Each structure stands twice: as structure tokens, then as C-alpha cells.
Amino acid sequence: MDSYILALDQGTTSSRAIVFDRGGQVVASAQREFRQLYPQPGWVEHDPLEIWESQLAVARQAIAAAGIGAARIAAVGITNQRETTIVWDRATGQPVHNAIVWQCRRSAGLCDALKAGGWEPRVRERTGLVVDAYFSGTKIQWLLENVPGLRARAERGEVCFGTVDSWLTFKLSGGRAWVTDYSNASRTMLFNIHRLAWDPDLCAALGVPARMLPEVRPSSHPFGRTAGDLLGAEIPITGIAGDQQASLFGQACFQPGTAKNTYGTGCFLLVHTGDRPVASQTGLLTTVAASPTEGRAEYALEGSIFITGAAIQWLRDGLQIIADSAESEPVAASVPDTGGVYFVPAFVGLGAPHWDMYARGAILGLTRGTTRAHLVRAALEAIAYQTREVLEAATFDARLALAELRVDGGATANNLLMQFQADILGAPVVRPVVKETTALGAAYLAGLAVGYWASRDEIAANWAADRRFLPEMNEAERGHRYAGWRRAVARASGWATP
Ligand code: ADP
């Protein structure tokens, strides 16, 4: 009887579990949403116990739905929303506070203080990140400064910090494992991505006691075993990676210059740079890719775009000119082009490579002939233009040429968008058969550690294209359209006054 791999995909709004077979195909899955807590404007929290309980419930459901029994699960892999910060009591396993979610801005003031103290260049050099409330470091600092008695407990070694992967592993192992992997550690702003160790100077600067930090291991590693009473068997937990790194792995992007883009609310683009951590000159982050081998990190350049699919949601909910996201495709296809209209969806400013927090959304080039179809088409095209900007920044930084872009996420269902993406990049855009690349990446990492898959070659052979979109637009047209986009961005820049 064949065995399977269970992937736990702990996301920002839901916990999911998927059972995969040897071919990397989905056998069964389950999903459960949990509460988003907004205690103040700009603050976002989750209840760590709700994360844990929802994750455990879907794991059990997926195993039951697969009809296989826990004994036939060869290993568990975990992938997770990154940066989200949890601190819990080591002895009781009780959280000391709600999880501070990656989106939460409460530690922005702590970041300003770090910058004023001249820490920005050291943070950049050692962690590959910029000083920002997005990362875990200042979230831990905030907890130490605001939860009564926490600092003393942390110094006595009584509490554990962890990102969501650590928290789940701790809970799954019945409190026996307190670990994380290189890719998750690289998002804390406390981890030296060159030496693959917690950085004592950065920990000191943020006042984080080393005793509260987990052990850091490669992404494919015997992290622990699930407690026998939880899933019905003691299953080895052998894969951990942050969600974007897991998706890069699930897309079989292992070689320098291979890249993936995930199209959701926003976009996350990662370009693998091999064993070379590339320092960005264009505002991208240097991050540790899922790295299966002890002591040997692989790296990626990462660019995030804030608003992509969210602009389609805005057409639906704000303007109410489409009934659902999928309708954007036939509506856009009803016109041959946007009639010269550009839509810059800088609703919350612009991220990489512009980093303009004062940019605001703009629609340019309107005429009497403009219709909703032009507007919808312009919103889709904006996703592709923004992706080109980030991809160009990454290939410039890394001095690598791109052979093709592998894609995943909800909006990749839109064929018109995918074709326009290929056209505007002048490179093939490839959509895989298995859309669950994030969970699949975690499964692959777990399976490699137990010999379920022999090598990455076997994984790469599993990867299959559903559809390749080849560029059809001529060079002159591509240049002309992209130049228009750049002019539109310039008009949207710096609009809101501080
Ligand atoms: P997330 O994980 O960020 O919630 P998903 O991967 O589920 O995102 O993708 C959902 C996003 O993709 C939404 O913003 C939605 O508007 C957009 N989207 C979904 N289907 C389509 C489509 N056919 N065309 C364009 N956008 C779409």
C-alpha cells in the first residue's frame, strides 16, 4: 500500500491541509477560516489557539477525506503566513498574547527609532531586509515592552518566540520540538542570512533575549514527530518553509534565474539566485529560499506588489461594474485594448521598486469613448505592468536573464491576464497543472527528508504545465505600452500630502 504526504498550509485568513501522493497530485484537502482581530486602526491580531485548533481540525479532516489512515502518512510538511509573531509559555504551551500578524503596523514607531539609531544599513546587510514593522523583530520588541513581566520571563528562558511554523510544530509535537527553518528565520530581522545564525547585535539592539529564540534548521529536516494522540499516529514533521518560499519550491524553481509570481490580493514575486545572496539596489528584499541542506542556504530576491487582485475586487465592490472577479475576463475581452486608459491602483502607495507611500490610485487617459470594459481591462493590465517592474528590478539586481515566469494564485485563472503578462514581459508565462504550489512545496520538503522523493530531479519531473502563454506582441508595441504605464505611474506618484 502506498503512502502519502500531509501538507499543512497555515495562511493569513484560513488554515488548510492537503494530502499529496507521489505524483504531487492532490488526494484530499480541507480548509477552515478563522477570525481576524483588529483591536485598533492599523493593528491586526490572530488568536494562536484558534490557529492551532483550526489547523489540527483540517489536518484530521483531510486525512479522513483521503480515506487512508494516519499510519500511511509518511511525513508532514508545514508552510505558513510569514513574520506573524507568537510568544508562548514553554511549560504550559499557553500564548502570552495574541499573535501579531505580519500586516500589523503597531511597531512602526520602534522601527523609526531603529533607523534613527543608524541600524538600517546593518539590518540590510545582515538580514537582507529593510527596517519595517512587517518583520517579526519589532513585534517581539513590542510584546517585551508591553506585556507585563514578559521581559523577566524571557530572560529566565520561560517563554518561546516563534513564527507560525514554530508554534504549530511545538503544538503538534506535544511541546517537544521548538524549531524553525532558515526561510522563516530570514523574515524576523534578527537572523544573519550569511552565517545562518541569530545575530547577537541585532538581538541586543531590539532587546530580544537569545533564550527566547528557536533552533534554526534547514527546510527539510527531522524537526520532530506529531504526538500520537493528535492525528492517530506519530508522524515525522520533516518540512518547513514560509509560504512564498514554499511556493517557489513547489514550482520547482531551484536554479538561479528561475522565478515564480503568485497572483492574489497582491503579488509576490521571487527569483532564485542560487547560493548567492544578492543585495538589491532597487528596493527588493534578499531572502533565504527553502533550503534542504544543513549549513547551505539558497537565496532569492523578493518583490511584493500591494494591490493587484484587490483592484479587481474594487471593481466588483467599490465601483460595482463587475459581478465577480471571473467576469473581469469576458468584459476585458470585449474590447481589443484599453483605448489608451491606464489604471494605477496605488490605493495604499506603491511598493517595490518605487516605495512611494504617498502615491495614490489614478486612472488616466479617459475620453468620451471610455467604457467599463476599458477600465476593467486597464485594471488587469496594471497587474501585468507592475509584475514587469518588479521582475525587471530583480533581473537587474541579480544580473540574470529570465527564461520563463511560473505563476500561481487565484488570478492566474484569467487567461487574458496571463496572455497580456507574457506579451508585456516578452517572456513565456507558465501555469502548472497543480495550482496548490505552496502546500506542494511544503510536501516536497517533507518528502525529501524521509526519502519519499529521492531528489529534486524527481520533483522537477513531477512539475507539469497546464498552459504556456507565449508572447505575441511585437517589441515596438510592448515598449510603447510599457512607456505609457511608466508615465501613468509618474502622475500617481507623491499625490497624497503627508
Ligand atoms: P489571496 O490568497 O491573496 O486571498 P487568491 O489566490 O485566492 O488570493 O486570489 C484571489 C484574488 O484574485 C482576488 O483579489 C480576486 O479578485 C483575484 N481573482 C480571482 N479570480 C480572478 C480572475 N478570474 N480574474 C482576475 N482576478 C481574479
Side-chain angles (χ1 to χ4, degrees):
M1 282 208 292
D2 207 1
S3 55
Y4 301 85
I5 303 287
L6 174 67
L8 306 181
D9 180 359
Q10 207 303 304
T12 308
T13 57
S14 72
S15 297
R16 304 190 324 133
I18 303 186
V19 176
F20 288 99
D21 67 14
R22 226 170 267 281
Q25 300 292 321
V26 174
V27 175
S29 68
Q31 175 166 5
R32 184 174 294 186
E33 293 195 6
F34 54 86
R35 284 179 307 151
Q36 308 290 311
L37 309 169
Y38 306 106
Q40 286 188 32
W43 291 29
V44 190
E45 297 181 355
H46 294 154
D47 177 347
L49 293 173
E50 228 180 288
I51 288 180
W52 159 238
E53 282 153 16
S54 60
Q55 192 62 69
L56 179 61
V58 292
R60 287 171 169 161
Q61 250 176 289
I63 294 172
I68 49 170
R72 284 169 69 195
I73 307 272
V76 177
I78 299 174
T79 180
N80 54 291
Q81 52 166 323
R82 303 177 301 173
E83 298 100 8
T84 295
T85 297
I86 305 178
V87 176
W88 66 92
D89 185 293
R90 195 171 183 171
T92 66
Q94 283 299 312
V96 304
H97 190 276
N98 274 338
I100 304 184
V101 177
W102 57 273
Q103 297 148 326
C104 185
R105 306 304 301 172
R106 81 182 63 194
S107 56
L110 296 173
C111 292
D112 292 340
L114 270 180
K115 286 186 206 161
W119 283 93
E120 177 101 64
R122 269 172 289 182
V123 166
R124 195 171 252 294
E125 182 199 81
R126 295 182 193 181
T127 71
L129 307 175
V130 295
V131 174
D132 196 277
Y134 178 19
F135 307 109
S136 316
T138 58
K139 298 183 195 290
I140 307 174
Q141 189 184 4
W142 187 93
L143 288 169
L144 289 168
E145 291 177 7
N146 289 277
V147 176
L150 186 60
R151 182 174 299 282
R153 288 168 73 192
E155 276 160 6
R156 290 198 298 268
E158 293 169 12
V159 296
C160 306
F161 152 76
T163 39
V164 172
D165 55 304
S166 302
W167 168 243
L168 291 177
T169 308
F170 185 88
K171 288 304 219 185
L172 281 168
S173 67
R176 285 173 297 178
W178 175 32
V179 287
T180 188
D181 87 302
Y182 298 150
S183 73
N184 274 293
S186 80
R187 313 297 294 187
T188 59
M189 226 172 79
L190 297 172
F191 189 69
N192 187 313
I193 61 169
H194 311 284
R195 298 171 46 200
L196 301 181
W198 299 114
D199 189 289
D201 297 334
L202 293 176
C203 289
L206 274 73
V208 175
R211 295 183 75 179
M212 73 186 296
L213 300 174
E215 191 180 314
V216 193
R217 292 294 177 192
S219 312
S220 197
H221 179 84
F223 293 101
R225 300 177 80 82
T226 62
D229 56 337
L230 291 175
L231 298 175
E234 284 203 10
I235 310 169
I237 306 166
T238 53
I240 295 182
D243 53 9
Q244 300 308 323
Q245 285 98 332
S247 134
L248 189 69
F249 204 84
Q251 288 274 26
C253 294
F254 305 137
Q255 302 299 327
T258 54
K260 73 91 195 179
N261 193 23
T262 300
Y263 297 76
T265 312
C267 280
F268 284 95
L269 191 138
L270 269 73
V271 179
H272 204 287
T273 61
D275 54 11
R276 200 164 56 100
V278 175
S280 175
Q281 297 167 11
T282 59
L284 304 182
L285 303 175
T286 309
T287 209
V288 181
S291 307
T293 313
E294 179 83 55
R296 227 199 99 222
E298 297 170 35
Y299 297 91
L301 277 168
E302 172 173 328
S304 35
I305 308 167
F306 302 142
I307 305 287
T308 56
I312 308 302
Q313 287 168 304
W314 179 74
L315 296 178
R316 184 193 64 194
D317 306 334
L319 290 190
Q320 304 183 340
I321 59 173
I322 51 174
D324 52 46
S325 300
E327 201 197 346
S328 64
E329 183 166 356
V331 172
S334 70
V335 287
D337 53 44
T338 66
V341 173
Y342 287 91
F343 176 7
V344 185
F347 297 159
V348 293
L350 289 169
H354 305 286
W355 296 111
D356 177 356
M357 65 176 152
Y358 300 113
R360 285 297 178 272
I363 299 171
L364 296 106
L366 297 173
T367 66
R368 270 305 285 273
T370 303
T371 66
R372 80 170 173 134
H374 295 117
L375 211 55
V376 170
R377 192 172 181 112
L380 288 174
E381 292 190 355
I383 299 176
Y385 287 127
Q386 295 188 92
T387 296
R388 172 164 166 184
E389 288 181 325
V390 174
L391 197 56
E392 275 186 352
T395 48
F396 170 85
D397 280 336
R399 296 186 172 75
L400 287 166
L402 177 91
E404 64 180 30
L405 181 65
R406 295 188 168 183
V407 299
D408 50 60
T412 58
N414 191 314
N415 292 326
L416 182 140
L417 168 61
M418 294 297 103
Q419 182 58 49
F420 188 75
Q421 185 69 83
D423 285 341
I424 216 65
L425 287 178
V429 167
V430 195
R431 189 171 63 197
V433 173
V434 178
K435 309 284 187 286
E436 306 290 353
T437 54
T438 305
L440 184 56
Y444 281 150
L445 289 163
L448 279 175
V450 296
Y452 185 81
W453 288 289
S455 68
R456 286 200 234 188
D457 292 342
E458 202 177 314
I459 289 171
N462 263 352
W463 189 93
D466 160 48
R467 186 157 164 194
R468 295 177 73 85
F469 297 86
L470 302 175
E472 287 164 2
M473 190 179 278
N474 69 50
E475 192 63 50
E477 185 64 20
R478 174 181 309 132
H480 174 72
R481 301 242 195 144
Y482 190 58
W485 167 259
R486 301 297 297 236
R487 287 196 299 133
V489 169
R491 297 293 168 102
S493 296
W495 178 261
T497 44

